[in-house]
Amino acid sequence: MAEFGGNPFYSCRNCLNPLAFQDDLLSKDFKAASGDAFMFQYAMNIVLGRREEKKMMTGVYTIANIYCGKCGQELGWHYLRAHDPKQKYKEGNFIIEKLKMIKEQY
């Protein structure tokens, strides 16, 4: 188990693989297929799926689904490109579904 010096972080609910630090949390106001989702500026221990164009509620994006690097659970997606200039702030960020992670502190 990695040592995070008491900083809260989020892990895969399935296998407890660390995914993101609370300090990297940008927003809790996103929606995904399973419900609420969080946006992080950085995610770790993940695997990127293939690039695809996807129509979402706020526009068309180039995304890659993200998977847990340990158990393979699909977690959410990575914004690669926003086609709408007003949505450019999402580029490079990661969306992780709330139901697929748990918050921990060590």
Side-chain angles (χ1 to χ4, degrees):
M1 170 63 66
E3 178 60 48
F4 295 116
N7 294 325
F9 61 96
Y10 294 87
S11 296
C12 175
R13 183 176 296 274
N14 192 47
C15 70
L16 302 181
N17 190 26
L19 301 172
F21 290 108
Q22 181 172 310
D23 290 348
D24 291 323
L25 178 63
L26 298 173
S27 176
K28 293 182 177 183
D29 293 330
F30 282 78
K31 297 292 179 198
S34 68
D36 293 338
F38 296 174
M39 183 167 71
F40 294 90
Q41 68 183 18
Y42 180 76
M44 59 187 157
N45 301 319
I46 59 162
V47 175
L48 289 176
R50 64 177 180 79
R51 294 173 70 103
E52 62 181 281
E53 299 293 315
K54 189 159 188 177
K55 173 86 170 111
M56 297 184 173
M57 293 179 356
T58 57
V60 178
Y61 300 89
T62 304
I63 64 149
N65 287 331
I66 59 173
Y67 303 87
C68 176
K70 185 175 179 183
C71 72
Q73 166 79 27
E74 185 174 344
L75 301 166
W77 62 91
H78 178 51
Y79 283 110
L80 300 170
R81 181 172 176 252
H83 296 261
D84 180 348
K86 293 178 184 172
Q87 302 297 321
K88 292 285 187 188
Y89 74 95
K90 295 177 182 176
E91 290 183 348
N93 294 319
F94 298 83
I95 302 297
I96 302 177
E97 297 180 41
K98 184 178 178 183
L99 287 177
K100 297 183 179 179
M101 64 181 171
I102 60 170
K103 187 174 181 180
E104 299 189 79
Q105 183 164 342
Y106 284 103

